[in-house]
Amino acid sequence: GFPIIGSGQGIIKYFAVIPLYLFLFYKNKLTDKQHVFLNFIPVAMVLLWIGGMKFYEFEAKAIVGLVETSPFMSWLYTVFSVQGASNVIGGFDVLFAVLLGAGILINNKKLIIVSGLACLSVFLMTQTFLITATGALSSGALLDRLGQFVIKDLWYVGNLIVIATLILFKPAK
């Protein structure tokens, strides 16, 4: 069924809202480093969760309907098997979550930019499924499981924007 790991990542996705709320309404109560860390946690959790699950056969099979209809990802099945394509996707998710954490930890702006953009690409790619997945353009697509599953990824885009704002776009003191 779709999505196999939906309930687990759904719970994590709701945690993404908390640091956004704190940033918007309690900006001066926490340091910039604390805001960065709090916004990184849900991004890392979901990418490690969904990326790690891609290495399991049941998840590889569960994403076939999304990947094979995507003009951006369907090519993976011409190069790799279903499991191989899923492993590539999972490896990408895990690798760039870890690299973003490393970049934040060592305060390496170039690493943060590259890994942050890669993480952002995961969440933006997910949004394209609302257009490319079978039945996505139906009147109820936004309200059914696909819509709820996909739209929640926008919180992570917000988390990444907070991280970029505080690390990359902050004027030097």
Side-chain angles (χ1 to χ4, degrees):
F2 170 78
I4 289 289
I5 58 173
S7 60
Q9 67 177 325
I11 293 167
I12 295 169
K13 288 180 183 188
Y14 293 119
F15 284 119
V17 177
I18 296 168
L20 293 172
Y21 175 83
L22 292 172
F23 177 74
L24 291 172
F25 298 106
Y26 294 95
K27 172 108 173 70
N28 297 327
K29 301 284 185 194
L30 299 170
T31 67
D32 286 354
K33 286 183 181 184
Q34 290 170 323
H35 280 295
V36 167
F37 180 72
L38 289 173
N39 278 277
F40 168 71
I41 289 172
V43 170
M45 285 174 59
V46 79
L47 287 175
L48 294 173
W49 177 281
I50 64 174
M53 293 303 289
K54 298 292 182 277
F55 293 96
Y56 291 95
E57 180 182 9
F58 65 87
E59 178 63 14
K61 289 180 179 177
I63 64 169
V64 168
L66 297 173
V67 175
E68 72 184 358
T69 59
S70 169
F72 305 106
M73 299 176 76
S74 59
W75 64 270
L76 289 168
Y77 290 142
T78 62
V79 177
F80 303 102
S81 65
V82 167
Q83 185 63 58
S86 188
N87 292 350
V88 168
I89 294 166
F92 185 93
D93 294 350
V94 170
L95 172 67
F96 286 105
V98 169
L99 290 177
L100 180 59
I104 291 169
L105 186 65
I106 63 174
N107 197 27
N108 182 316
K109 289 186 180 189
K110 288 181 183 179
L111 185 56
I112 293 168
I113 291 169
V114 170
S115 58
L117 287 172
C119 292
L120 179 65
S121 75
V122 171
F123 303 127
L124 294 180
M125 182 65 60
T126 303
Q127 298 308 302
T128 68
F129 296 150
L130 284 173
I131 299 167
T132 63
T134 303
L137 297 176
S138 67
S139 60
L142 288 176
L143 301 175
D144 70 7
R145 290 177 67 184
L146 174 65
Q148 294 171 17
F149 166 74
V150 169
I151 291 173
K152 286 185 280 182
D153 275 5
L154 291 175
W155 295 121
Y156 299 113
V157 173
N159 294 128
L160 290 169
I161 289 170
V162 169
I163 292 168
T165 299
L166 294 175
I167 292 180
L168 303 176
F169 305 122
K170 194 86 168 169
K173 292 182 181 181

